[in-house]
Amino acid sequence: MTTQNESLAPLERPRKRAGRQEKNSIRSRLTWSVVIPWIVVVILWAVSCAAFASEAIYTQMVATSVRQMSLPAMSALEEVKKERLLTFEVVDQRGVDQAGLLDQQRKTDQAIDAMNRAAAGLIDSAPEEIQRSLTDLTAYFDRMDGIRTRVAAGQISNDEVSDFYDGLFDSATKLADVQAKLTLDPETRQGAIAATDLLRAADMFARETSLVGTALDTGQLPADQHRRLSRYIDAYRSTVEQNVSSMHPVVRTRYEKLVASPAWQQLTGVEDRFVGSGGFTSGDDAPVQLDEWRRLSDEVGTELSGLVVAQADEVSAEAVDRGSDALWTVLWGSLAALVVALVSFIYARRVYRSVVDEALLTRLQGLRTESLVMANKLPEVVRRLRDGEAVDVKGEMAALEHFGNDEVGQVAQAIQLFQRQAMDAAVGETRARQGARVVFVGMAHRIQRLLRQMHGTIDQLEKNEESSAQLAKLFELDNS
C-alpha cells in the first residue's frame, strides 16, 4: 500500500524547485510591488528637499554676500564720486591747489581696500556672472593710478576723465544689476532691482553735478553739453519716480522727506532753469552760482546715495531673514513629510502583512495542505472499496474548509469540486468493477450447474445404451 509520505514526496519536489526561485514567489512579488513605490517616494522626497534647500541656501548666500558687499561698495563708490568732482575741478582749472584732491584720493583708496577685503572671501564662491562683473570693476580701479598721474601732470582732458568715470560707474551699476537678477526670491529681486535703479539715478545725478560744475567753472554751457545735461536730469528724475513703489517703506519715507526738503525744491528749480536756458556762453547767464550749486548738489547727492545704501541694506537684510525662514520651512516641511511617509509606510506594512501574510498566504498554504491530504486520501478510498468496505463520500468531503468568497475562495471551491468529482468517479468505477465481477461469478455458477446436470444425464444414457457405436460417442462426449 502507498503510504502518505510516499504520496506527498512527488508533490513536494516542485515546491523545493520553487524555493530555489524564491524571487518569483507571490510573497516576493507583492513585497517588491510595495517596496518599489516607497523607494521612489523616498528618492522624490530627497530630491525635492535638496532642491528646495539648495534654493533657500542659494538665496541666503546671495543675500548675505550682497549685504556684506553693499556697504563697503557703496562707501567706495561714494568716495569715487567725490574724487570725480575734485578731479574735474583740477582739470578745468589748471594750476589750482591739488591738496584736497590728494586727500580725497587717499580716502578713496582706503574705501576701495575695504571693499576688496569684503569681496576677497566671497568672490571664489560667487556665480560666474558676478565674478566677471567684479573683474571689470576691479580693472577700472587698477587704471585709476594712471588717470591720477595724468591729472597731476595736466596731461588729460575733461572728456577723458568723464569717459573713465562714466565707464567705472557703468561697470558698478552692471555688477549691482547682475546681483539683483541672480536673486531667486521675486520680492527680493524687485527690491534689489530698485536699489540698482537708484544707484543708476545717483550716478546720473553725479554726472549732472560734474557737468554743471564744469560749465560754471568755465562760464559756458555749449549746446551739446546742454543736451547731455538735459538727458542726465530727465534720466535720474524718471528713474527715481519709476521705483518709488518698489522702495522699501523706510527708504520711501526718506525719499518723501527729500522731495519735500527745501534743498530738493531749490535744486529742481535750478535744473528746470538749466533745461530751459538752452545753454549759455557767459558765466553771468548761468542760472546759479557755483557755490550755491555745490551746496545744493552735495546735500541732495548725499541723500540720494543714502537712499541707495538704505535700499540695498534693507532689501538684503530682509532677504537674509527670508532665506533663513525658507530654510527652516524646508527643514520642518521635510521632517513633517518624512514623518508622514514613515507613518504611512508602517500602516501600509501592517496592511500588507494583514492582507498577504494572514489573509492570502495563510489561506493558500491551508488550501495546499488540504489538497495534498485529499490527493493522498483518494488511493486509500479506492483500496477500501476494493476490499469491499463501505465508503461515505459525503462524509469524507465534509472536513473540507471554507476559504471565503474572494478569488482565493473561488479557487478553493473549484479544487474541492474537482476533488469531489474525482472521488465520485473513483467510487463509481470501483462499484462498476465489483458489479461486473458479481455478474461473471453468477454466470460461472450457472454454467457449472448446467455442466453437472449434463454429466449426470450422460452417465444415465451410458448405463441404458446397448449400442456400442452410440456408447462410444457418449464416452467421447463425456471425456471432452
Side-chain angles (χ1 to χ4, degrees), residues 352-369:
Y352 167 81
R353 296 186 64 177
S354 174
V355 172
V356 176
D357 292 348
E358 299 176 8
L360 179 60
L361 295 182
T362 302
R363 289 192 295 162
L364 288 176
Q365 291 171 356
L367 178 60
R368 173 184 175 276
T369 302

PDB file of all heavy atoms in Angstrom, residues 352-369:
ATOM      1  N   TYR A 352      -0.218  45.303   4.617  1.00  0.00           N
ATOM      2  CA  TYR A 352       0.387  44.286   3.754  1.00  0.00           C
ATOM      3  C   TYR A 352       0.486  42.955   4.478  1.00  0.00           C
ATOM      4  O   TYR A 352       0.135  41.902   3.930  1.00  0.00           O
ATOM      5  CB  TYR A 352       1.761  44.775   3.313  1.00  0.00           C
ATOM      6  CG  TYR A 352       2.614  43.709   2.675  1.00  0.00           C
ATOM      7  CD1 TYR A 352       2.441  43.364   1.337  1.00  0.00           C
ATOM      8  CD2 TYR A 352       3.596  43.040   3.415  1.00  0.00           C
ATOM      9  CE1 TYR A 352       3.228  42.379   0.756  1.00  0.00           C
ATOM     10  CE2 TYR A 352       4.374  42.052   2.842  1.00  0.00           C
ATOM     11  CZ  TYR A 352       4.184  41.731   1.512  1.00  0.00           C
ATOM     12  OH  TYR A 352       4.952  40.760   0.935  1.00  0.00           O
ATOM     13  N   ARG A 353       0.981  43.008   5.717  1.00  0.00           N
ATOM     14  CA  ARG A 353       1.113  41.758   6.468  1.00  0.00           C
ATOM     15  C   ARG A 353      -0.258  41.154   6.764  1.00  0.00           C
ATOM     16  O   ARG A 353      -0.413  39.931   6.763  1.00  0.00           O
ATOM     17  CB  ARG A 353       1.863  42.018   7.768  1.00  0.00           C
ATOM     18  CG  ARG A 353       3.298  42.479   7.552  1.00  0.00           C
ATOM     19  CD  ARG A 353       4.066  42.585   8.839  1.00  0.00           C
ATOM     20  NE  ARG A 353       4.214  41.277   9.465  1.00  0.00           N
ATOM     21  CZ  ARG A 353       4.903  41.076  10.585  1.00  0.00           C
ATOM     22  NH1 ARG A 353       5.468  42.096  11.200  1.00  0.00           N
ATOM     23  NH2 ARG A 353       5.004  39.862  11.092  1.00  0.00           N
ATOM     24  N   SER A 354      -1.234  42.022   7.018  1.00  0.00           N
ATOM     25  CA  SER A 354      -2.579  41.515   7.295  1.00  0.00           C
ATOM     26  C   SER A 354      -3.176  40.861   6.061  1.00  0.00           C
ATOM     27  O   SER A 354      -3.794  39.795   6.142  1.00  0.00           O
ATOM     28  CB  SER A 354      -3.474  42.653   7.782  1.00  0.00           C
ATOM     29  OG  SER A 354      -4.801  42.222   7.921  1.00  0.00           O
ATOM     30  N   VAL A 355      -2.985  41.518   4.912  1.00  0.00           N
ATOM     31  CA  VAL A 355      -3.593  41.006   3.682  1.00  0.00           C
ATOM     32  C   VAL A 355      -2.808  39.834   3.119  1.00  0.00           C
ATOM     33  O   VAL A 355      -3.361  38.783   2.779  1.00  0.00           O
ATOM     34  CB  VAL A 355      -3.699  42.142   2.639  1.00  0.00           C
ATOM     35  CG1 VAL A 355      -4.146  41.598   1.286  1.00  0.00           C
ATOM     36  CG2 VAL A 355      -4.663  43.202   3.130  1.00  0.00           C
ATOM     37  N   VAL A 356      -1.481  40.000   3.013  1.00  0.00           N
ATOM     38  CA  VAL A 356      -0.656  38.982   2.346  1.00  0.00           C
ATOM     39  C   VAL A 356      -0.387  37.806   3.271  1.00  0.00           C
ATOM     40  O   VAL A 356      -0.675  36.655   2.926  1.00  0.00           O
ATOM     41  CB  VAL A 356       0.657  39.624   1.856  1.00  0.00           C
ATOM     42  CG1 VAL A 356       1.573  38.556   1.252  1.00  0.00           C
ATOM     43  CG2 VAL A 356       0.352  40.685   0.819  1.00  0.00           C
ATOM     44  N   ASP A 357       0.196  38.108   4.449  1.00  0.00           N
ATOM     45  CA  ASP A 357       0.603  37.007   5.315  1.00  0.00           C
ATOM     46  C   ASP A 357      -0.587  36.275   5.926  1.00  0.00           C
ATOM     47  O   ASP A 357      -0.628  35.045   5.942  1.00  0.00           O
ATOM     48  CB  ASP A 357       1.507  37.535   6.436  1.00  0.00           C
ATOM     49  CG  ASP A 357       2.850  38.016   5.881  1.00  0.00           C
ATOM     50  OD1 ASP A 357       3.122  37.725   4.702  1.00  0.00           O
ATOM     51  OD2 ASP A 357       3.589  38.684   6.608  1.00  0.00           O
ATOM     52  N   GLU A 358      -1.540  37.070   6.448  1.00  0.00           N
ATOM     53  CA  GLU A 358      -2.641  36.447   7.176  1.00  0.00           C
ATOM     54  C   GLU A 358      -3.789  36.031   6.257  1.00  0.00           C
ATOM     55  O   GLU A 358      -4.306  34.928   6.356  1.00  0.00           O
ATOM     56  CB  GLU A 358      -3.155  37.407   8.251  1.00  0.00           C
ATOM     57  CG  GLU A 358      -2.086  37.765   9.276  1.00  0.00           C
ATOM     58  CD  GLU A 358      -2.578  38.784  10.287  1.00  0.00           C
ATOM     59  OE1 GLU A 358      -3.797  39.073  10.258  1.00  0.00           O
ATOM     60  OE2 GLU A 358      -1.779  39.282  11.087  1.00  0.00           O
ATOM     61  N   ALA A 359      -4.197  36.911   5.356  1.00  0.00           N
ATOM     62  CA  ALA A 359      -5.380  36.634   4.545  1.00  0.00           C
ATOM     63  C   ALA A 359      -5.058  35.815   3.303  1.00  0.00           C
ATOM     64  O   ALA A 359      -5.829  34.938   2.916  1.00  0.00           O
ATOM     65  CB  ALA A 359      -6.040  37.952   4.131  1.00  0.00           C
ATOM     66  N   LEU A 360      -3.926  36.079   2.650  1.00  0.00           N
ATOM     67  CA  LEU A 360      -3.645  35.430   1.371  1.00  0.00           C
ATOM     68  C   LEU A 360      -2.773  34.200   1.537  1.00  0.00           C
ATOM     69  O   LEU A 360      -3.194  33.078   1.245  1.00  0.00           O
ATOM     70  CB  LEU A 360      -2.979  36.433   0.425  1.00  0.00           C
ATOM     71  CG  LEU A 360      -2.602  35.889  -0.964  1.00  0.00           C
ATOM     72  CD1 LEU A 360      -3.844  35.401  -1.701  1.00  0.00           C
ATOM     73  CD2 LEU A 360      -1.882  36.965  -1.768  1.00  0.00           C
ATOM     74  N   LEU A 361      -1.542  34.386   2.029  1.00  0.00           N
ATOM     75  CA  LEU A 361      -0.610  33.269   2.072  1.00  0.00           C
ATOM     76  C   LEU A 361      -1.065  32.177   3.038  1.00  0.00           C
ATOM     77  O   LEU A 361      -0.889  30.993   2.762  1.00  0.00           O
ATOM     78  CB  LEU A 361       0.781  33.780   2.474  1.00  0.00           C
ATOM     79  CG  LEU A 361       1.436  34.728   1.467  1.00  0.00           C
ATOM     80  CD1 LEU A 361       2.821  35.124   1.949  1.00  0.00           C
ATOM     81  CD2 LEU A 361       1.522  34.084   0.092  1.00  0.00           C
ATOM     82  N   THR A 362      -1.648  32.577   4.167  1.00  0.00           N
ATOM     83  CA  THR A 362      -2.127  31.566   5.115  1.00  0.00           C
ATOM     84  C   THR A 362      -3.217  30.700   4.494  1.00  0.00           C
ATOM     85  O   THR A 362      -3.210  29.463   4.639  1.00  0.00           O
ATOM     86  CB  THR A 362      -2.659  32.252   6.388  1.00  0.00           C
ATOM     87  OG1 THR A 362      -1.622  33.037   6.970  1.00  0.00           O
ATOM     88  CG2 THR A 362      -3.153  31.217   7.392  1.00  0.00           C
ATOM     89  N   ARG A 363      -4.149  31.321   3.791  1.00  0.00           N
ATOM     90  CA  ARG A 363      -5.217  30.543   3.145  1.00  0.00           C
ATOM     91  C   ARG A 363      -4.675  29.697   2.004  1.00  0.00           C
ATOM     92  O   ARG A 363      -5.127  28.561   1.784  1.00  0.00           O
ATOM     93  CB  ARG A 363      -6.303  31.479   2.639  1.00  0.00           C
ATOM     94  CG  ARG A 363      -7.127  32.096   3.768  1.00  0.00           C
ATOM     95  CD  ARG A 363      -8.355  32.769   3.225  1.00  0.00           C
ATOM     96  NE  ARG A 363      -8.011  33.908   2.395  1.00  0.00           N
ATOM     97  CZ  ARG A 363      -8.836  34.474   1.516  1.00  0.00           C
ATOM     98  NH1 ARG A 363     -10.045  33.986   1.351  1.00  0.00           N
ATOM     99  NH2 ARG A 363      -8.451  35.504   0.794  1.00  0.00           N
ATOM    100  N   LEU A 364      -3.701  30.244   1.258  1.00  0.00           N
ATOM    101  CA  LEU A 364      -3.114  29.443   0.177  1.00  0.00           C
ATOM    102  C   LEU A 364      -2.382  28.229   0.739  1.00  0.00           C
ATOM    103  O   LEU A 364      -2.455  27.128   0.165  1.00  0.00           O
ATOM    104  CB  LEU A 364      -2.158  30.311  -0.647  1.00  0.00           C
ATOM    105  CG  LEU A 364      -2.810  31.364  -1.548  1.00  0.00           C
ATOM    106  CD1 LEU A 364      -1.745  32.215  -2.224  1.00  0.00           C
ATOM    107  CD2 LEU A 364      -3.705  30.711  -2.599  1.00  0.00           C
ATOM    108  N   GLN A 365      -1.643  28.431   1.836  1.00  0.00           N
ATOM    109  CA  GLN A 365      -0.973  27.299   2.449  1.00  0.00           C
ATOM    110  C   GLN A 365      -1.980  26.280   2.977  1.00  0.00           C
ATOM    111  O   GLN A 365      -1.778  25.065   2.866  1.00  0.00           O
ATOM    112  CB  GLN A 365      -0.080  27.806   3.588  1.00  0.00           C
ATOM    113  CG  GLN A 365       1.118  28.605   3.085  1.00  0.00           C
ATOM    114  CD  GLN A 365       1.882  29.280   4.217  1.00  0.00           C
ATOM    115  OE1 GLN A 365       1.467  29.197   5.380  1.00  0.00           O
ATOM    116  NE2 GLN A 365       2.975  29.942   3.884  1.00  0.00           N
ATOM    117  N   GLY A 366      -3.092  26.772   3.578  1.00  0.00           N
ATOM    118  CA  GLY A 366      -4.135  25.841   4.029  1.00  0.00           C
ATOM    119  C   GLY A 366      -4.756  25.089   2.874  1.00  0.00           C
ATOM    120  O   GLY A 366      -5.032  23.883   2.968  1.00  0.00           O
ATOM    121  N   LEU A 367      -4.994  25.805   1.753  1.00  0.00           N
ATOM    122  CA  LEU A 367      -5.555  25.141   0.570  1.00  0.00           C
ATOM    123  C   LEU A 367      -4.593  24.102   0.028  1.00  0.00           C
ATOM    124  O   LEU A 367      -5.010  22.998  -0.392  1.00  0.00           O
ATOM    125  CB  LEU A 367      -5.866  26.197  -0.488  1.00  0.00           C
ATOM    126  CG  LEU A 367      -6.410  25.682  -1.826  1.00  0.00           C
ATOM    127  CD1 LEU A 367      -7.722  24.918  -1.613  1.00  0.00           C
ATOM    128  CD2 LEU A 367      -6.623  26.838  -2.793  1.00  0.00           C
ATOM    129  N   ARG A 368      -3.295  24.414   0.027  1.00  0.00           N
ATOM    130  CA  ARG A 368      -2.297  23.454  -0.450  1.00  0.00           C
ATOM    131  C   ARG A 368      -2.294  22.208   0.441  1.00  0.00           C
ATOM    132  O   ARG A 368      -2.295  21.065  -0.062  1.00  0.00           O
ATOM    133  CB  ARG A 368      -0.922  24.106  -0.439  1.00  0.00           C
ATOM    134  CG  ARG A 368       0.213  23.153  -0.762  1.00  0.00           C
ATOM    135  CD  ARG A 368       1.556  23.845  -0.639  1.00  0.00           C
ATOM    136  NE  ARG A 368       2.625  22.903  -0.825  1.00  0.00           N
ATOM    137  CZ  ARG A 368       3.121  22.122   0.119  1.00  0.00           C
ATOM    138  NH1 ARG A 368       2.612  22.169   1.351  1.00  0.00           N
ATOM    139  NH2 ARG A 368       4.112  21.277  -0.132  1.00  0.00           N
ATOM    140  N   THR A 369      -2.300  22.418   1.766  1.00  0.00           N
ATOM    141  CA  THR A 369      -2.287  21.279   2.685  1.00  0.00           C
ATOM    142  C   THR A 369      -3.530  20.405   2.509  1.00  0.00           C
ATOM    143  O   THR A 369      -3.450  19.160   2.467  1.00  0.00           O
ATOM    144  CB  THR A 369      -2.207  21.791   4.135  1.00  0.00           C
ATOM    145  OG1 THR A 369      -1.026  22.591   4.288  1.00  0.00           O
ATOM    146  CG2 THR A 369      -2.166  20.632   5.119  1.00  0.00           C
TER     147      THR A 369
END
